[in-house]
Amino acid sequence: MEIPSRILVVDDDPGIREVLCDYLGQHGYEASGAASASEMDRALAAASIDLIVLDLMMPGEDGLSVVRRLGGNGPPIVMLSAMGEDTDRIVGLELGADDYLAKPCNPRELLARVRAVLRRPRDEELPTGGPALTFAGWRLDLMRRELTRPDGMLVGLSGGEFALLNAFAERPGRILTRDQLLEAARGAEADVFDRAMDVQISRLRKKLDDGSGLEMIQTVRGEGYRFDVKVTRR
């Protein structure tokens, strides 16, 4: 019998916690709630959590601070915000959140986002040595969705960052417009927003900086972006 995924809903509003936990529970998930970041920390220490639904505005430590603190080392995060501003969404994605929804959100939409994020296979379920794209000493494992630097160090990627890097690496040397990148990213089941594109690419450039001075992602003024490096599929 398959073990249900465990979801932690972190929101200081008890009504929202109850509604979301009940709805997720009705659809096969083991959902529990936490009213603050400190309660979240205790829940993470007590049990294995597969995904966090995290409110942006909370008393004490807020959602953005939590995402920054976890730094991609915790479970995937779907952020919620009553503010619904593009700036908040972009900052949340920049800090490493996997998805973002404005409140009040339809529980059905949240369920769809949760399913999409959890669709990414867990590392322990994936074989090693799977198909990969290599470029300038880097290796992008397409099954494990892992990026390895030339020195062997792993570089953490959010879902959006992986989708964009995969889109670039599959089309080396080609100028890709913003629309083409969005289309490719959506095809890889990542929710990448047009206004967040520059943020995602900026993050990728920083993560692809190994001190060699090689700028792999180039901006082509008025046209788009180009991945200017030879890519080999293995």
Side-chain angles (χ1 to χ4, degrees):
M1 183 176 179
E2 185 177 352
I3 300 175
S5 296
R6 294 175 176 172
I7 299 175
L8 182 63
V9 179
V10 185
D11 196 304
D12 63 308
D13 186 322
I16 292 176
R17 289 200 310 274
E18 182 177 357
V19 168
L20 296 184
C21 285
D22 286 349
Y23 191 83
L24 292 169
Q26 292 169 15
H27 289 81
Y29 296 103
E30 184 178 318
S32 57
S36 65
S38 58
E39 285 192 18
M40 177 202 73
D41 289 337
R42 289 194 289 272
L44 290 175
S48 174
I49 300 296
D50 297 300
L51 182 141
I52 298 173
V53 176
L54 179 65
D55 186 28
L56 175 65
M57 302 299 293
M58 295 187 297
E61 186 178 12
D62 64 26
L64 290 180
S65 176
V66 168
V67 176
R68 183 184 296 108
R69 173 163 60 85
L70 292 179
N73 295 319
I77 295 174
V78 176
M79 292 200 71
L80 302 178
S81 172
M83 300 174 71
E85 296 289 339
D86 286 330
T87 300
D88 299 317
R89 180 173 65 185
I90 290 171
V91 171
L93 292 171
E94 184 176 22
L95 291 175
D98 293 84
D99 209 339
Y100 186 106
L101 275 175
K103 294 167 63 178
C105 68
N106 187 318
R108 291 177 59 187
E109 183 177 5
L110 176 63
L111 176 64
R113 302 295 184 94
V114 165
R115 284 173 171 168
V117 172
L118 289 176
R119 197 174 294 131
R120 176 178 176 179
R122 299 174 182 175
D123 288 346
E124 62 268 21
E125 297 173 344
L126 296 172
T128 58
L133 301 174
T134 61
F135 44 89
W138 295 72
R139 184 177 189 275
L140 181 65
D141 189 311
L142 301 180
M143 292 187 68
R144 300 182 70 88
R145 298 193 175 193
E146 289 181 346
L147 177 63
T148 306
R149 288 166 42 119
D151 60 9
M153 291 183 61
L154 286 177
V155 179
L157 295 175
S158 68
E161 290 168 348
F162 170 81
L164 284 176
L165 181 55
N166 186 41
F168 277 124
E170 291 279 7
R171 303 159 180 82
R174 288 174 50 186
I175 297 175
L176 300 175
T177 66
R178 190 177 294 260
D179 287 342
Q180 288 173 326
L181 286 170
L182 286 167
E183 179 71 22
R186 290 194 182 102
E189 298 176 354
D191 194 4
V192 183
F193 299 94
D194 186 37
R195 295 184 183 180
M197 181 67 72
D198 291 338
V199 172
Q200 298 276 11
I201 290 177
S202 176
R203 289 177 62 187
L204 265 183
R205 281 175 168 154
K206 291 178 181 177
K207 292 186 176 184
L208 290 170
D209 183 4
D210 60 358
S212 66
L214 177 63
E215 185 178 347
M216 287 183 265
I217 301 175
Q218 296 185 350
T219 301
V220 181
R221 188 180 299 275
E223 296 187 59
Y225 301 92
R226 177 172 54 213
F227 198 58
D228 194 25
V229 65
K230 182 179 178 180
V231 178
T232 302
R233 180 180 289 272
R234 294 183 178 179

